């Protein structure tokens, strides 16, 4: 049988499904000044900056109406869907709050004191010098979920309206201009039928729309296609799985690992590693990241994290502790070469992870998100001055220009080929990465190419045999993890996952192993090598992995999904 | 210690749950009396005596004709003040919890509810109760007297110790507001079985049943046991059984005396909906199913084979 | 027609009891007690069915409770009152019902609604205590509610079938969660909530004496926390001809059959 490629089984979804003209009668539309889709670091930074600017310019604030700035957040509350390592570079937050707050006012777990990079073997660990791109001097350990909650409070204090439990279902486009977003319906049953408390979504109409949806942004994906904003190279992603533990002994350093349990041979395409960060004196954040271009049918990021915890060096840190939180999320890893060729369209700007602003070797993206949000706010503010609109040609070009002039662009350009180098295997990748670092990105010249994660043919190697059986103390099964993510999604609602339902068994098994939340299961076989795919949508923690591997995630009913607080 | 136990009755007989609390009170020592309010109470004295009461106080005022709480608060207040009880105990029911709470406010007395046990500890009366979805247990106490306690269903069984109780009638006066609510209609319905929330026995099914038709086997067993049928999220999602029967994190939480889990693996999402059942019996083909870790009796076997025979055996026992 | 609804905010995330204070850890995010959403929904329906009136939502809790109250305003309630005071921390049923009764007297509502139970302490007792303090008739576990001619009629499931109970207004009613499906707040509702009147009162402003509140006003206490009693030995039977018989034996032994 010929090898199966997920890309050969595209999902029943088209970009047009996420775009629409406004349909509500005028008096039922919700009018806001600036609409921000996504209550993460990018969206909230944009909101905070706009709040500051409007405080200083009350006349403009008045012109923008009753709701000058609104943020749509699909999670239960800001922070519910935020997950990251995280070691945050504070420069953007300092800039955002200059003259008002310092980093000490923000919820963090303090500056990084020491760090190590370890190369793991099944039982051992070799300390290797920290690559220059990965040093964390001056950076702060934080929970992105907590930071998000705090940013939301700051935004609200300056008059921003945050609308949680509200999914943005469609981008409103009319006459080639983006005019806002339509929110998702609530109270539909499994078959789509309206239930007793059915509440239809609403057209939220705005003069400027900022998409800050994070990884695999639903409207962002549609916008990139519709307005032909995509860069030369397709975006690629990694899947990160994370836990927060209470531990009896303080961890004194930030740790990153490479090597085991990922395999070095290039045919496996297993790029990634793990982090362990101290969160104060009694907690640690531990996570595992693997590129979604991997090929092994049985590769499960969830179970690789469980396996990683059995390593003596890691077990030692967690022993006697208690798992407090779990979550999963994808990370855009294409870097510079996968950035959109333009970050704006009439009435629209795109920020943060949704645009792919992540420095993969440094494992940083939060500060780019915050900075891009701030720059979008400045551009929106300028475009909304009397006599101007955000829909005229070039009105939002200053946003693109400011991003290109910022450290976001400079940083990403410098490390632009690193991730792709590792597509050639660990050793080759390491060598190339070293070269890039030493020459600050000048060598090797040119830009590498990326391929869609779903393009790579699947293979089998019996990998699952090595995953540890969950013991309920150190290692856990997927459903226990989903429980600890706080996920209590309402069952009786339409399925939000778009995948083909009759596929070759290799593909179905790959999805089942890939998904950290056990959404997919292999169903009945039809004898010819194809099987049905059984789906439990209410398990979904909206990590986005399926979109990278042949399917398409869409937002479920607002308020669904995980309720992260510590991730 | 002088304890008064509120005893409910139905069609001339005392409710078992009240007798269970009476037995418990008797085991703690001191004077124990029962209170029976309302008409048609038959030979209550004899029954209460067998379960530990030395006295039964009866009030048959027409105001107590309907099973409404507020006149009972007036009556019990009178009794407590006149007789000087320092402890008043109730067995959970809709009526009992309303009476207990109203009485607590009336007497400015502490009320601890959802008790699963009551003990003497270091010279004080200490209640034990679960909390936080039954994930922790808490010791609770009272400050001052009287002390009011409300026991959760199924906490104990009545224990006959033999004995006699004397009957004393008493009369009470009622507040105007206590008499304001009236029972317009009390209907006895022929129900196919208890609702899942009220059922003392739940027979639940999961994907391990193999096919939706097998729920018929569970319905048979539940009928024989006088219980209700439950279902996991997976089978409700698949349309095998209605959502109203779903037990678990996103369904109902139940704590029956007996939970029989058939073909259920026992993932935590299900566990949190039934983990505090008194007795858990699980039947599953997979010997490694997580549910066996928290079952009192685990049966590795095929539900389709076991259930019909089990139902037949129960039927025989009941017939005998 | 004025309807008051008593609501509570309960911790949202994984719930824990603080081992130091032995009280529920309310430091994390909170949400409206889901059972109270049924009571708010019913109040809104009754108000709209009567062709007008006011729905005021009351709560006793920490300052963060405004979030839960805002949600009720977003659903359509008209006004919110929060009684928040350090002195109320640690209040048991007695102290809580006393403070709530004072707040309700201040409102003078025709009908007071409660939800079926509180999600955190699982108490199904508050309304009866409040009704006694207010000197009002009480109906509990109402699965259907109608208003007519100055009285309220509630239908509820009983052990043996159902009861229909009528009480003249003003009255106190606790609604069962089966009574309705609470509405989702509309976006307009959420945005409009901020503009609706919300007041916060201290215990002193309410006229609640310090000795009737908090620990001082309570007559019960939490003494200790512990693990639930272990399930004890669990028995396993392998599949075999005798399995059904062994199960029955076990059930008989446990006095379940």
């Amino acid at each position: 049988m010929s090898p199966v490629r997920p890309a050969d089984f595209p999902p029943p979804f088209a970009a047009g499904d996420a775009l629409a003209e406004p349909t509500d009668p005028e008096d039922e539309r919700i009018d806001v000044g600036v609409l921000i889709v996504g209550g993460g670091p990018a969206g909230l930074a944009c909101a905070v900056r706009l709040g500051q600017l409007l405080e200083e310019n009350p006349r403009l604030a008045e012109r923008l109406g009753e709701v000058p700035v609104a943020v749509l957040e699909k999670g239960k509350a800001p922070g519910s869907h935020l997950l990251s390592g995280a070691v945050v570079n504070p420069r953007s937050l300092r800039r955002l709050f200059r003259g008002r707050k310092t980093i000490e006012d923000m919820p963090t777990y303090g500056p990084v004191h020491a760090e190590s990079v370890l190369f793991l073997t099944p039982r051992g660990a070799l300390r290797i010098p920290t690559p220059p791109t990965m040093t964390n001097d001056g950076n702060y350990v934080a929970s992105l979920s907590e930071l998000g909650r705090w940013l939301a409070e700051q935004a609200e204090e300056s008059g921003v309206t945050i609308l949680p439990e509200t999914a943005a279902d469609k981008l409103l486009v009319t006459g080639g201009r983006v005019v806002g977003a339509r929110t998702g319906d609530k109270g539909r049953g499994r078959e789509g039928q309206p239930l007793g408390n059915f509440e239809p979504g609403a057209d939220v109409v705005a003069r400027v729309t900022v998409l800050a949806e994070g990884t695999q942004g639903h409207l962002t994906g549609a916008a990139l296609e519709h307005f032909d904003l995509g860069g030369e190279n397709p975006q690629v992603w990694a899947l990160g799985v994370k836990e927060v533990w209470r531990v009896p002994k303080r961890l004194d350093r930030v740790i990153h690992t490479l090597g085991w349990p990922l395999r070095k041979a290039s045919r496996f395409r297993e790029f990634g590693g793990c982090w362990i960060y101290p969160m104060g004196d009694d907690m640690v954040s531990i996570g595992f990241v693997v590129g979604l271009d991997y090929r092994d049918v049985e590769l499960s990021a969830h179970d690789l994290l469980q396996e990683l915890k059995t390593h003596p060096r890691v077990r030692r840190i967690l022993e006697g502790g208690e798992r407090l939180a779990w979550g999963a999320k994808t990370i855009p890893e294409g870097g510079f070469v996968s950035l959109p060729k333009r970050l704006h369209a009439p009435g629209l700007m795109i920020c943060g992870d949704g645009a792919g602003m992540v420095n993969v070797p440094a494992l940083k993206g939060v500060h780019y998100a915050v900075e891009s949000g701030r720059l979008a706010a400045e551009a929106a503010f300028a475009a909304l001055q009397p006599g101007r609109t955000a829909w005229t040609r070039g009105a939002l070009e200053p946003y693109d220009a400011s991003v290109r002039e910022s450290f976001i662009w400079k940083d990403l350009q410098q490390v632009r080929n690193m991730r792709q180098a590792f597509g050639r295997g660990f050793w080759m990748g390491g060598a190339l990465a070293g070269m890039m670092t030493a020459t600050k990105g000048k060598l090797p010249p040119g830009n590498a190419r990326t391929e869609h994660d779903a393009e790579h043919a699947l293979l089998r190697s019996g990998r699952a045999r090595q995953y540890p059986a969950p013991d309920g103390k150190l290692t856990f099964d997927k459903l226990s993890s989903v429980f600890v993510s706080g996920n209590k999604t309402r069952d009786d609602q339409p399925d939000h996952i778009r995948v083909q339902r009759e596929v070759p068994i290799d593909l179905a098994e790959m999805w089942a192993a890939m998904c950290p939340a056990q959404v997919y299961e292999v169903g009945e076989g039809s004898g010819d090598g194809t099987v049905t795919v059984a789906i439990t949508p209410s398990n979904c923690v909206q990590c986005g992995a399926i979109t990278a591997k042949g399917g398409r995630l869409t937002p479920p009913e607002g308020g669904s999904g995980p309720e992260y607080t510590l991730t | 210690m002088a304890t008064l136990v509120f005893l409910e009755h139905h069609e001339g007989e005392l409710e078992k749950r009240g007798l269970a609390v009476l037995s418990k009170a008797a085991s703690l020592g001191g004077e124990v009396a029962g209170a029976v309010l309302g008409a048609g109470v038959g030979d209550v004295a004899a029954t209460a005596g067998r379960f530990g009461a030395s006295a039964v106080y009866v009030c048959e005022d027409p105001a107590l004709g309907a099973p409404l709480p507020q006149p009972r608060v007036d009556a019990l207040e009178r009794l407590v003040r006149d007789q000087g009880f320092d402890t008043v105990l109730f067995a959970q029911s809709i009526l009992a919890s309303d009476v207990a709470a109203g009485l607590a406010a009336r007497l400015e007395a502490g009320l601890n509810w959802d008790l699963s046990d009551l003990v003497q500890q270091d010279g004080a009366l200490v209640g034990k109760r679960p909390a936080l979805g039954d994930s922790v247990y808490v010791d609770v106490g009272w400050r001052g007297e009287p002390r009011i306690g409300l026991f959760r269903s199924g906490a104990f069984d009545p224990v006959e110790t033999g004995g006699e109780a004397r009957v004393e009638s008493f009369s009470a006066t009622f507040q105007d507001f206590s008499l304001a609510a009236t029972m317009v209609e009390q209907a006895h319905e022929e129900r196919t079985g208890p609702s899942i929330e009220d059922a003392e026995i739940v027979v639940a099914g999961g994907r391990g049943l193999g096919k939706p038709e097998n729920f018929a086997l569970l319905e048979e067993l539940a009928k024989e046991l006088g219980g209700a049928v439950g279902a996991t999220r997976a089978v409700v999602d698949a349309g095998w059984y209605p959502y109203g029967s779903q037990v678990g994190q996103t369904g109902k939480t139940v704590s029956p005396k007996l939970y029989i889990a058939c073909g259920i693996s026992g993932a935590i999402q299900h566990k949190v909906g039934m983990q505090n059942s008194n007795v858990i019996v699980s039947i599953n083909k997979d010997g490694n199913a997580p549910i066996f870790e928290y079952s009192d009796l685990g049966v590795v076997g095929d539900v389709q084979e076991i259930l019909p025979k089990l139902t037949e055996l129960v039927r025989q026992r009941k017939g005998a | 027609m004025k309807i008051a609804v008593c609501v509570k905010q309960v911790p949202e995330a994984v719930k824990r009891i603080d081992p130091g204070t032995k009280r529920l850890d309310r430091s994390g995010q909170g949400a409206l007690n889901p059972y109270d959403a049924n009571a708010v929904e019913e109040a809104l329906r009754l108000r709209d069915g009567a062709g007008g009136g006011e729905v005021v939502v009351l709560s006793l809790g920490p300052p963060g409770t405004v979030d839960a109250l805002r949600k009720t305003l977003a659903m359509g309630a008209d006004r919110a009152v929060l009684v928040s005071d350090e002195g109320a921390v640690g209040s048991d049923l007695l102290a809580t019902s006393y403070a709530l009764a004072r707040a309700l007297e201040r409102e003078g509502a025709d009908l007071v609604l409660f939800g079926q139970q509180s999600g955190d302490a699982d108490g199904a007792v508050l309304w009866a205590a409040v009704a006694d303090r207010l000197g009002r008739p009480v109906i509990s576990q109402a699965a259907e509610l109608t208003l007519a001619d100055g009285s309220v009629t509630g239908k509820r499931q009983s052990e043996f079938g159902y009861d229909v109970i009528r009480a003249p207004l003003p009255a106190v009613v606790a609604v069962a969660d089966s009574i309705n499906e609470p509405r989702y707040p509309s976006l307009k509702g959420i945005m409009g909530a901020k503009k609706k009147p919300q007041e916060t009162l201290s215990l002193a402003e309410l006229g609640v004496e310090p000795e009737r509140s908090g620990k001082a006003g309570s007559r019960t206490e939490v003494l200790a926390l512990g693990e639930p009693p272990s399930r004890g030995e669990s028995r396993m039977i392998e599949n075999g001809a005798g399995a059904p018989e062994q199960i029955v034996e076990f059930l008989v032994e446990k006095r379940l059959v």
Side-chain angles (χ1 to χ4, degrees):
Chain A
M1 216 172 76
S2 58
V4 171
R5 293 182 337 140
D8 293 335
F9 301 87
F13 179 86
D17 295 347
L19 297 164
E21 299 257 344
T23 47
D24 283 350
E26 288 244 7
D27 58 351
E28 275 174 42
R29 291 182 199 172
I30 306 216
D31 271 290
V32 306
V34 180
L35 177 65
I36 300 170
V37 182
L44 292 172
C46 184
V48 165
R49 184 62 189 138
L50 279 170
Q52 291 168 353
L53 289 166
L54 292 174
E55 253 171 17
E56 293 158 16
N57 291 270
R59 224 135 28 116
L60 178 59
E62 243 185 81
R63 280 185 58 231
L64 293 180
E66 267 186 37
V67 185
V69 183
V71 178
L72 299 182
E73 168 51 46
K74 65 176 162 55
K76 202 80 192 265
S80 294
H81 289 186
L82 292 180
L83 179 147
S84 186
V87 173
V88 180
N89 181 327
R91 68 184 295 186
S92 309
L93 288 167
R94 285 200 174 108
R95 181 84 191 266
L96 180 64
F97 287 99
R98 185 177 302 158
R100 298 161 204 258
K101 296 215 190 277
T102 69
I103 191 81
E104 276 70 37
D105 297 321
M106 309 183 202
T108 73
Y109 290 90
V112 174
H113 292 298
E115 58 186 317
S116 307
V117 179
L118 302 175
F119 179 81
L120 295 183
T121 62
R123 304 220 68 77
L126 289 162
R127 177 118 185 237
I128 62 181
T130 305
T133 48
M134 280 176 77
T135 54
N136 280 298
D137 217 22
N139 292 337
Y140 285 72
V141 177
S143 150
L144 190 59
S145 180
E146 289 177 349
L147 203 49
R149 263 204 304 292
W150 183 84
L151 285 170
E153 281 165 30
Q154 307 314 307
E156 280 188 306
E157 266 169 41
S158 59
V160 170
T161 303
I162 308 227
L163 299 165
E165 303 191 80
T166 307
D169 193 49
K170 298 197 197 295
L171 192 63
L172 295 175
V173 183
T174 187
R177 315 164 161 189
V178 173
V179 294
R182 181 169 183 81
T183 61
D185 295 341
K186 291 194 180 186
R188 282 193 188 272
R190 213 167 263 127
E191 314 301 322
Q193 80 282 22
L195 301 173
N197 56 355
F198 173 67
E199 180 70 35
D203 287 341
V204 181
V205 176
R207 306 188 202 198
V208 181
T209 303
V210 177
L211 294 183
E213 296 172 296
T215 185
Q216 304 286 16
H218 176 57
L219 303 188
T220 307
L224 290 173
E225 214 186 290
H226 180 77
F227 291 102
D228 191 32
L229 302 174
E232 302 168 10
N233 287 281
Q235 186 58 268
V236 292
W237 286 269
L239 176 58
V241 191
K242 166 180 176 166
E243 295 180 355
V244 177
W245 279 69
R246 168 154 291 128
V247 291
K249 198 170 134 233
R250 187 179 76 88
L251 179 64
D252 67 347
R253 65 189 55 222
V254 154
I255 298 176
H256 289 106
T257 80
L258 308 168
W260 184 89
L262 292 175
R263 295 170 291 191
K264 302 185 274 301
S266 64
R267 71 189 169 97
F268 291 120
R269 305 189 69 93
E270 288 174 11
F271 173 79
C274 137
W275 79 77
I276 314 177
Y277 300 154
M279 287 168 69
D281 289 332
D282 64 348
M283 291 197 291
V284 299
S285 153
I286 174 168
F288 183 86
V289 178
V290 61
L292 282 166
D293 58 333
Y294 69 78
R295 298 179 60 201
D296 199 315
V297 164
E298 291 172 3
L299 194 139
S300 159
H302 176 277
D303 296 303
L304 284 172
L305 176 58
Q306 305 309 308
E307 196 179 342
L308 177 90
K309 288 187 288 177
T310 64
H311 189 282
R313 286 292 285 264
V314 181
R315 186 194 282 270
R316 206 184 308 159
I317 297 172
L318 301 177
E319 202 105 70
E322 188 197 341
R323 182 170 81 159
L324 302 175
W326 176 91
K329 208 162 169 89
T330 50
I331 308 165
E333 289 213 316
F336 189 78
V337 302
S338 298
L339 289 173
K341 61 179 181 252
R342 212 166 66 246
L343 295 166
H344 75 278
L348 174 74
M349 285 181 282
I350 304 179
C351 304
D353 271 18
M357 298 176 184
V358 174
N359 181 331
V360 175
L363 303 171
K364 299 272 180 299
V366 173
H367 67 310
Y368 300 138
V370 170
E371 181 68 0
S372 68
R374 188 185 70 83
L375 294 173
E378 301 275 351
F381 181 72
L384 289 171
Q385 294 303 318
R388 311 186 55 200
T389 82
W391 295 307
T392 48
R393 205 166 185 70
L396 296 174
E397 175 60 44
Y399 171 62
D400 263 70
S402 63
V403 173
R404 278 165 215 274
E405 279 155 33
S406 74
F407 58 82
I408 303 174
W409 220 250
K410 192 156 138 263
D411 286 2
L412 293 182
Q413 194 157 25
Q414 225 171 59
V415 300
R416 71 187 177 286
N417 289 325
M418 246 183 239
R419 168 66 178 89
Q420 287 76 353
F422 281 91
R424 317 223 343 228
F426 184 85
W427 300 116
M428 179 60 106
L432 289 170
M435 192 195 309
M436 289 174 215
T437 310
T439 63
K440 287 204 189 295
K442 295 201 185 60
L443 289 180
N447 291 347
R449 304 207 54 77
T450 60
E451 298 160 287
H452 277 295
D453 293 322
E455 299 275 347
H456 306 290
L458 304 177
L459 57 75
R460 281 181 185 273
S461 69
R463 186 64 180 85
R465 284 195 296 267
Q466 281 124 49
Y467 299 143
D471 66 13
K473 289 212 210 15
L474 179 69
T475 56
F476 301 88
D477 64 283
K478 285 181 177 179
L479 288 182
S480 301
S481 299
V482 169
F483 186 78
V484 167
S485 77
N487 188 353
K488 324 184 197 44
T489 300
R490 193 173 74 77
D491 299 312
D492 189 19
Q493 60 169 289
D495 182 357
H496 64 286
I497 312 261
R498 307 276 171 269
V499 281
Q500 287 196 27
R501 302 298 290 265
E502 308 270 337
V503 298
I505 189 169
D506 278 359
L507 185 56
E509 282 192 25
M510 188 273 284
W511 285 338
M514 166 200 80
C515 176
Q518 204 167 299
V519 169
Y520 311 94
E521 282 176 78
V522 177
E524 299 272 309
S526 53
D528 61 351
T530 60
V531 293
T532 55
V533 180
I535 299 190
T536 310
S538 54
N539 283 346
C540 180
V541 295
Q542 297 171 43
C543 71
I546 190 63
T547 307
K549 288 297 238 187
R552 180 53 154 94
L553 173 72
T554 72
E557 184 179 274
S560 302
E563 293 178 27
Y564 299 140
T565 51
L566 283 173
T567 54
Chain B
M1 197 159 116
T3 307
L4 181 65
V5 179
F6 178 67
L7 298 173
E8 287 189 69
H9 55 97
H10 182 67
E11 289 175 353
E13 288 199 8
L14 292 180
E15 295 274 14
K16 245 179 62 175
R17 53 180 182 256
L19 296 174
V21 173
L22 192 56
S23 307
K24 181 63 184 175
S27 73
L28 290 170
E31 288 284 308
V32 178
V36 180
L37 309 175
V41 292
D43 196 16
V44 283
T47 320
R50 290 202 324 266
F51 289 89
S54 53
V56 181
Y57 293 89
V58 176
C59 181
E60 294 186 275
D61 195 302
L64 297 162
L68 290 172
Q70 288 169 303
R72 284 159 173 73
V73 172
D74 295 325
L76 289 178
E77 181 199 7
R78 160 60 59 87
L79 201 49
V80 169
R81 291 201 200 281
D82 287 352
Q83 302 297 332
F85 291 106
D86 53 60
T87 307
V88 188
L89 301 177
F90 296 79
Q92 171 65 35
S93 73
I94 297 178
L95 179 65
S97 50
D98 284 348
V99 177
L103 188 65
R106 185 72 62 84
L107 298 173
E108 294 290 349
L111 166 61
N112 280 310
W113 63 86
D114 208 24
L115 298 176
S116 58
D117 202 0
L118 188 61
V119 299
Q120 298 272 21
Q121 212 169 276
D122 305 319
L125 198 61
V126 172
K128 312 251 174 199
R129 56 159 296 180
L132 297 189
D134 301 340
S135 58
V136 298
Y137 259 65
V138 183
D139 280 0
V140 291
W142 289 261
R143 285 163 50 216
E145 288 171 1
R147 300 168 289 214
I148 308 184
L150 176 64
F151 286 88
R152 62 163 25 188
S153 318
F156 318 107
D157 289 318
V159 176
E160 279 199 62
T161 46
E164 288 189 11
R166 68 177 193 283
V167 179
E168 280 193 36
S169 270
F170 74 100
S171 60
T173 51
F174 302 93
Q175 305 274 349
D176 285 343
F177 73 86
S178 298
L179 302 173
T182 51
M183 184 74 76
V184 168
E185 190 192 338
Q186 252 196 301
H188 278 233
E189 272 179 335
E190 191 48 66
R191 300 241 287 257
T192 46
S195 72
I196 196 169
E197 294 97 330
D198 298 331
E200 293 212 322
I201 298 182
V202 174
V203 184
R207 265 204 289 201
L209 291 185
K211 50 185 198 245
E213 292 77 22
N214 282 335
F215 262 97
L217 301 175
L218 276 70
E219 285 168 353
E220 279 294 307
L221 179 58
K223 184 147 150 244
E224 223 39 70
L225 290 168
V229 175
T232 62
R233 177 180 64 159
V235 298
V236 170
D237 267 5
W240 291 12
Y241 223 67
Y243 177 63
S245 301
Q246 183 173 319
V247 173
Q249 181 194 28
T250 51
K252 301 207 159 71
T253 302
V254 297
S255 53
K257 288 180 115 158
L258 171 64
Y259 191 91
I260 304 181
C262 308
I264 297 179
S265 62
I268 190 161
Q269 284 83 356
H270 186 75
K271 180 182 177 190
V272 296
M274 44 65 76
Q275 62 190 341
N276 204 59
S277 307
N278 282 21
V279 174
I280 300 174
V281 174
S282 303
I283 308 170
N284 196 307
K285 269 186 268 202
D286 174 10
N288 290 320
I291 199 162
F292 290 131
E293 285 161 37
Y294 55 94
S295 300
D296 297 291
L297 176 66
V299 184
V300 182
D302 189 338
V303 174
Q304 274 190 264
E305 284 175 24
I306 294 175
L307 237 52
K309 288 193 215 133
L310 180 59
T311 305
E312 184 50 42
L313 288 171
V314 172
R315 184 174 296 136
Q316 284 172 15
R317 260 203 88 83
K318 294 226 156 161
Chain C
M1 170 94 257
K2 186 179 198 180
I3 307 175
V5 187
C6 293
V7 306
K8 196 170 177 181
Q9 177 158 292
V10 291
E12 182 126 69
V14 182
K15 306 191 208 310
R16 52 184 287 273
I17 293 184
D18 184 324
T21 62
K22 299 199 184 63
R23 285 195 288 270
L24 196 60
D25 179 359
R26 296 184 184 279
S27 62
Q29 283 212 277
L32 179 67
N33 177 20
Y35 295 102
D36 294 342
N38 295 110
V40 173
E41 174 65 30
E42 198 59 23
L44 298 173
R45 292 187 188 192
L46 291 172
R47 174 196 66 189
D48 298 340
E54 187 190 23
V55 172
V56 56
V57 182
L58 286 93
S59 191
L60 175 68
T65 310
V66 289
D67 292 338
L69 288 172
R70 205 170 312 144
K71 173 146 189 202
T72 68
L73 294 173
M75 283 171 75
D78 303 295
R79 193 160 52 85
V81 175
L82 172 63
V83 178
S84 188
D85 198 308
E86 278 292 306
V89 172
S91 293
D92 74 350
L93 171 70
L94 235 44
T96 303
S97 59
Y98 183 70
L100 271 180
R102 292 285 84 74
L104 287 166
E105 272 166 0
R106 187 174 170 270
E107 289 296 329
D110 301 296
L111 183 63
V112 179
L113 295 185
F114 284 82
Q116 177 175 291
Q117 66 189 69
S118 157
D120 55 5
D122 295 322
V125 290
L126 188 53
W127 51 84
V130 169
D132 195 82
R133 292 192 187 284
L134 292 174
R136 304 260 188 269
V138 67
I139 304 176
S140 59
Q141 300 289 356
E144 265 178 54
L145 210 54
T146 43
L147 281 174
D149 305 323
S151 70
V152 60
T153 304
K155 179 177 180 188
R156 67 164 182 219
Q157 295 283 71
S158 71
E159 280 173 86
F160 314 104
Y162 63 85
D163 297 334
V164 178
I165 304 169
R166 179 175 306 138
L169 298 179
V172 174
V173 178
V175 303
D177 64 351
S178 55
I179 195 173
N180 60 38
E181 199 60 57
R183 67 193 64 180
Y184 291 103
S186 66
L187 272 194
K188 283 221 171 0
I190 297 173
M191 282 149 80
K194 271 195 291 195
K195 291 186 271 186
K196 293 184 177 174
Q198 287 192 62
E199 61 176 320
T200 303
L201 298 170
S202 66
L203 289 173
E205 285 170 312
L206 206 48
V208 172
E209 310 88 316
E211 65 270 16
R212 302 290 306 262
S213 188
K215 244 188 125 199
S218 301
R219 291 284 170 271
T220 56
E221 51 193 356
V222 176
L223 301 170
L225 298 175
E227 290 288 317
S230 75
R231 211 153 253 291
E233 284 299 302
S234 82
R235 260 178 263 182
M236 291 287 290
I237 307 177
E238 296 293 322
N239 191 25
E245 284 80 3
Q246 288 180 281
I247 299 174
V248 172
E249 248 180 67
F250 176 84
L251 294 179
V252 168
E253 191 192 305
K254 298 274 175 188
R255 294 196 284 191
L256 292 161
V257 154

